[in-house]
Amino acid sequence: MDFSQDLENCLDALRTGGLIGIPTVSGRMVAADATLDDAVNALREGSQGEMPVVLLADERDLLQYVSALDLDVFDRFESFELPTAIRFEGIIGLADALTGPEGTACIALIADDFCRHLVKRFRKPLAVLPEGNGPHWGTILYRAADHTNALADRFRLI
């Protein structure tokens, strides 16, 4: 499948609140609109309590979704060689289903072209979990082709 057509098909599914399968540098992921509780709940169904990682397109997006952001985090993100998600407090504008009991969420900056284009064109962050055999994975509306080389099978969480 063509890169542009895959983007369009993913956007169409996301706009309806559906789940999509996408390639990332952290392996194949199932993604949902990170601002919709119903979409995030569908993503988490059958995930055995694993919390999704929120994908943001760039550092400026952190200012929109994290209150009282420590600006030193920008240097931390630049120092990472592997895809890394950082747990943040003070989450705003994201689905309640993304925050743990302590009100935190794991956020990563996108490290591949397909996801960056997808999030920028969607104009919202994505919530992702590794693609697997959970009962909800059958509800994926669209699976994009592999447009990126996976480095690992998950995000490193810190």
Side-chain angles (χ1 to χ4, degrees):
M1 176 69 63
D2 166 87
F3 186 93
S4 295
Q5 188 60 54
D6 261 352
L7 283 173
E8 286 303 318
N9 292 343
C10 286
L11 289 167
D12 288 345
L14 287 168
R15 288 180 184 125
T16 66
L19 302 179
I20 59 171
I22 57 172
T24 75
V25 295
S26 294
R28 292 216 39 101
M29 298 282 171
V30 177
D33 180 339
T35 65
L36 295 177
D37 273 314
D38 287 345
V40 173
N41 285 330
L43 176 68
R44 293 190 63 200
E45 184 180 317
S47 68
Q48 299 166 353
E50 186 174 3
M51 290 299 288
V53 171
V54 176
L55 297 182
L56 298 179
D58 56 45
E59 293 168 338
R60 288 175 301 192
D61 293 339
L62 284 169
L63 298 169
Q64 182 176 351
Y65 296 103
V66 179
S67 67
L69 183 67
D70 179 356
L71 299 180
D72 289 339
V73 74
F74 298 137
D75 292 332
R76 288 185 71 197
F77 270 119
E78 286 182 15
S79 71
F80 301 139
E81 292 180 29
L82 296 174
T84 302
I86 297 176
R87 187 173 304 278
F88 287 94
E89 296 177 346
I91 300 302
I92 51 176
L94 297 177
D96 290 337
L98 284 171
T99 58
E102 65 285 344
T104 64
C106 295
I107 297 177
L109 299 180
I110 295 169
D112 64 84
D113 286 338
F114 185 81
C115 287
R116 183 173 289 110
H117 283 278
L118 183 60
V119 170
K120 283 189 174 282
R121 289 184 58 190
F122 188 48
R123 295 189 173 135
K124 295 181 187 180
L126 296 179
V128 297
L129 282 171
E131 198 170 65
N133 298 323
H136 65 291
W137 304 127
T139 62
I140 294 172
L141 294 182
Y142 184 75
R143 273 189 177 80
D146 287 327
H147 297 286
T148 194
N149 292 324
L151 301 175
D153 62 351
R154 321 193 155 242
F155 290 91
R156 182 176 64 136
L157 297 175
I158 61 168

